[in-house]
Amino acid sequence: MAELRGVLVFLLSVGAAAAVWPQPQFLSVATEGGCRLSARRFRFAYADSSAVGPGCDVLDQAFRRYWALLFSVARNDSETARSEDACSELLVSVTKPECDGYPSLDTPENYKLTVSDEQMLLTAYTVWGALRGLETFSQLAWRNDDGTFCINKTDVVDFPRFPHRGLLLDTSRHYLPLKAILETLDAMAYNKLNVFHWHIVDDPSFPYESIMFPDLSWKGAYHPATHVYTVSDVKTVIEHARLRGIRVIPEFDTPGHTQSWGPGTPGLLTPCYAGLSPTGSYGPVNPILNATYQFMAKFFAEVSAVFPDFYIHLGGDEVDFSCWKSNPEIQTFMQKMGFGQDYAKLESFYIQRLMDIVSAYVKSYVVWQEVFDNGVKLKPDTLIHVWKENAGPYQEEMACVTKAGYRALLSAPWYLNHISYGQDWLAVYQVEPLAFEGSAEQKALVIGGEACMWGEYVDVTNLTPRLWPRAGAVAERLWSNQTVRNLEDAYMRLVDFRCVLLRRGIRAEPLFTGYCDYEYTAF
Ligand SMILES: *[C@@H]1O[C@H](CO)[C@@H](O)[C@H](O)[C@H]1NC(C)=O
Ligand SMILES: *[C@@H]1O[C@H](CO)[C@@H](O)[C@H](O)[C@H]1NC(C)=O
Ligand SMILES: *[C@@H]1O[C@H](CO)[C@@H](O)[C@H](O)[C@H]1NC(C)=O
Ligand SMILES: *[C@@H]1O[C@H](CO)[C@@H](O)[C@H](O)[C@H]1NC(C)=O
């Protein structure tokens, strides 16, 4: 990487040429000509051929957003638009007559964008694909010396390489205000990321306000009034995400990582023992009580109803067996069940029952890799989330998971909460998710990945600059063709894209020395 840093020193921000991030599958931009987009004249409109039209809120609202993104800054209307009428509207045509649903894992996001002398046309099969095309269009518009926006003749044919392109936020270690989550969703849409993995609760705090079990956040949040996500907050997040073509997958991690569930749910956690007496501290969820499963059935019924996505993340990582081992009732149960001293079997016993509960709500689930590693019997449509960096190369785990026939999600090399001095986006960018030993069938089981932003050292003060533009490196790896890996080209476009993010009010940190025409101005 050292020699590379030398090369990159000389590539400073240029600004003018429109770059697109993530790189489309096919993009051809004419190097001359181009016409002006005038705030006074330009509009987005539905083509006559479109199966959706005015009243389709996903697109109506996207038109307003992208209009504002284009023209609210750097607006210069002192000059009336020149005579190229063709550039006065972008026509949008969607094939599938559906607006009010939610995107899913199977949603096609492909689109085509043509800017010619005759017209500007965006076509897509779904409204979700049209959203991706609007983003590309907004990035292709470039600023002229006089401050107006122009767009060159362009052809784009685009679709994602992987259908699941996620970002994990952890709202338990530190509470993230609603606004920070909504802004993250905005920036995700700019990067064409489409899954918000909401690691909403964990050991330190339980900010999810449950309708059925209000004591969970009342007693488990950092503060029961200021550090919670109310029913209405959660709805706001889901709708804000939907309007940007982003799915929300909540994670309620059990049986470990559940300390914060304890105060609001007496009896749920395992009492730890020292010898024959309880120590007063608690371990993972108690897997031997019927009450535990009765609680989980009610709780996940609520979660299934609140979150519309087909998938729920059930966690299942890093279960600490020491408390289970210390507890005499659990030891007795282990004997009765013939588990011997194999506490992974007890964990499997718990997870299997939990999965049966959740399946009954016609949902499927994502689990962290330990659940697979521990041999839990899984439904075939389970997604295995590969995260361990140090338990042997993650490529081996990807090979094992897919060899067993399960679909895999990759996060191990994409823990963006880890930082280091210099251009650490490069390592993230150079990951190739399919670079593991395996057949074509195995590779086809990799449905994408997620950038993770764990919250031990992250709260609202540093979330955004730590995320952006670094998460963009993951976004491009998951969207663009496998062959898009030229680091100098990526650097140029990412520097440019970071300036776009600043112009849009996102505090994206710099990649290296340089400046943007529109710097971030909070002061
Ligand atoms: C668009 O056209 C202008 C000239 O009008 C040119 O300077 C610019 O490089 C072109 N953009 C791209 C991406 O080729
Ligand atoms: C706006 O456009 C006019 C005419 O092209 C130009 O004279 C003026 O300098 C521009 N203003 C800015 C702020 O770029
Ligand atoms: C737990 O439920 C099972 C099956 O429903 C039942 O056989 C068992 O007696 C119950 N145990 C207790 C302690 O209630
Ligand atoms: C990716 O790019 C390569 C080389 O340009 C091309 O052969 C391949 O068809 C592309 N893949 C897709 C899915 O378009």
Side-chain angles (χ1 to χ4, degrees):
M1 215 78 86
E3 43 320 344
L4 189 75
R5 229 171 254 149
V7 174
L8 294 178
V9 167
F10 300 103
L11 305 172
L12 298 180
S13 171
V14 276
V20 182
W21 191 278
Q23 178 71 35
Q25 301 287 343
F26 175 82
L27 170 72
S28 141
V29 181
T31 51
E32 50 184 22
C35 60
R36 255 165 238 269
L37 304 171
S38 149
R40 211 172 297 162
R41 310 194 45 178
F42 178 80
R43 62 187 199 122
F44 295 98
Y46 294 94
D48 291 340
S49 58
S50 180
V52 302
C56 168
D57 60 349
V58 172
L59 288 183
D60 286 352
Q61 293 197 34
F63 291 174
R64 283 199 285 278
R65 280 201 310 276
Y66 280 105
W67 196 94
L69 287 178
L70 281 171
F71 299 115
S72 66
V73 209
R75 150 184 205 159
N76 187 345
D77 263 352
S78 64
E79 189 188 18
T80 47
R82 292 180 304 185
S83 58
E84 289 92 339
D85 282 351
C87 284
S88 64
E89 65 182 5
L90 174 67
L91 290 174
V92 178
S93 182
V94 172
T95 311
K96 196 175 179 204
E98 198 179 292
C99 247
D100 50 1
Y102 290 87
S104 72
L105 180 59
D106 310 315
T107 296
E109 292 171 287
N110 53 313
Y111 68 90
K112 281 185 195 167
L113 176 65
T114 312
V115 177
S116 70
D117 283 337
E118 288 73 43
Q119 66 174 353
M120 297 197 288
L121 179 66
L122 169 62
T123 56
Y125 181 64
T126 62
V127 291
W128 317 113
L131 291 177
R132 307 294 169 242
L134 288 170
E135 178 56 43
T136 299
F137 178 81
S138 75
Q139 292 187 23
L140 281 166
W142 55 278
R143 238 170 30 85
N144 220 340
D145 290 339
D146 64 9
T148 55
F149 276 103
C150 297
I151 190 152
N152 296 12
K153 282 185 208 168
T154 304
D155 274 305
V156 184
V157 179
D158 203 10
F159 51 87
R161 182 177 171 206
F162 294 104
H164 185 122
R165 305 179 306 281
L167 173 64
L168 173 150
L169 290 187
D170 169 3
T171 56
S172 173
R173 270 119 190 160
H174 284 96
Y175 178 79
L176 295 171
L178 183 61
K179 270 192 179 168
I181 296 177
L182 301 183
E183 184 191 89
T184 301
L185 291 167
D186 294 344
M188 285 176 67
Y190 304 153
N191 285 272
K192 298 191 172 78
L193 290 169
N194 68 351
V195 178
F196 171 40
H197 173 170
W198 195 352
H199 188 87
I200 189 166
V201 302
D202 202 301
D203 283 325
S205 79
F206 197 105
Y208 171 75
E209 205 175 81
S210 165
I211 307 161
M212 254 187 267
F213 300 100
D215 273 356
L216 280 167
S217 60
W218 187 249
K219 296 183 177 160
Y222 284 136
H223 188 287
T226 54
H227 286 54
V228 292
Y229 302 106
T230 64
V231 174
S232 137
D233 291 341
V234 171
K235 278 201 180 117
T236 302
V237 168
I238 293 170
E239 181 62 3
H240 196 87
R242 183 186 82 90
L243 289 170
R244 286 153 186 78
I246 297 170
R247 301 160 54 205
V248 179
I249 298 186
E251 178 180 353
F252 288 92
D253 192 356
T254 67
H257 289 280
T258 46
Q259 288 296 303
S260 69
W261 302 51
T265 323
L268 181 69
L269 303 184
T270 309
C272 313
Y273 278 70
L276 291 175
S277 45
T279 61
S281 63
Y282 293 89
V285 163
N286 191 336
I288 68 169
L289 302 178
N290 285 353
T292 292
Y293 300 98
Q294 284 156 8
F295 167 81
M296 291 296 170
K298 285 191 196 140
F299 182 73
F300 278 99
E302 171 182 325
V303 168
S304 303
V306 168
F307 293 90
D309 201 81
F310 183 58
Y311 287 89
I312 294 178
H313 204 303
L314 295 181
D317 58 318
E318 299 181 307
V319 185
D320 176 6
F321 295 148
S322 58
C323 181
W324 280 353
K325 282 182 189 163
S326 77
N327 181 301
E329 287 173 25
I330 295 208
Q331 289 163 13
T332 309
F333 185 81
M334 292 284 289
Q335 277 172 8
K336 194 182 100 191
M337 300 298 287
F339 291 164
Q341 286 302 304
D342 189 354
Y343 284 81
K345 287 196 172 134
L346 182 60
E347 180 191 353
S348 299
F349 169 84
Y350 168 81
I351 298 264
Q352 271 168 17
R353 288 191 68 176
L354 182 65
M355 286 178 166
D356 289 342
I357 288 168
V358 174
S359 312
Y361 305 128
V362 202
K363 294 264 177 180
S364 192
Y365 28 75
V366 192
V367 291
W368 296 110
Q369 72 179 70
E370 288 95 317
V371 176
F372 167 80
D373 296 343
N374 289 345
V376 175
K377 205 169 114 241
L378 298 165
K379 281 207 307 175
D381 65 347
T382 306
L383 298 182
I384 313 295
H385 201 157
V386 174
W387 70 276
K388 286 193 173 180
E389 268 180 302
N390 301 323
Y394 64 83
Q395 290 90 343
E396 281 174 18
E397 183 77 7
M398 294 294 279
C400 285
V401 167
T402 54
K403 187 152 199 181
Y406 292 107
R407 289 172 305 162
L409 274 177
L410 181 63
S411 277
W414 289 329
Y415 270 35
L416 299 184
N417 45 299
H418 297 173
I419 49 174
S420 61
Y421 189 72
Q423 307 221 21
D424 60 357
W425 69 276
L426 287 164
V428 167
Y429 188 76
Q430 289 177 92
V431 169
E432 170 42 53
L434 301 189
F436 60 85
E437 299 265 332
S439 64
E441 288 76 19
Q442 278 174 262
K443 306 286 167 91
L445 291 170
V446 179
I447 61 161
E450 293 182 358
C452 297
M453 185 55 71
W454 295 102
E456 286 89 349
Y457 301 96
V458 176
D459 71 2
V460 69
T461 61
N462 58 354
L463 173 72
T464 305
R466 197 171 280 205
L467 268 180
W468 313 109
R470 295 161 77 235
V474 180
E476 176 151 299
R477 185 55 54 234
L478 293 172
W479 178 281
S480 306
N481 190 312
Q482 180 166 5
T483 58
V484 175
R485 26 191 347 110
N486 181 310
L487 295 179
E488 287 172 31
D489 177 69
Y491 177 79
M492 301 279 275
R493 284 183 298 109
L494 194 55
V495 163
D496 214 50
F497 179 56
R498 179 204 164 233
C499 291
V500 170
L501 293 177
L502 291 196
R503 210 168 62 213
R504 296 179 178 187
I506 306 289
R507 278 159 300 141
E509 69 177 18
L511 292 168
F512 193 57
T513 55
Y515 74 102
C516 294
D517 288 346
Y518 287 84
E519 301 282 14
Y520 182 76
T521 48
F523 309 104

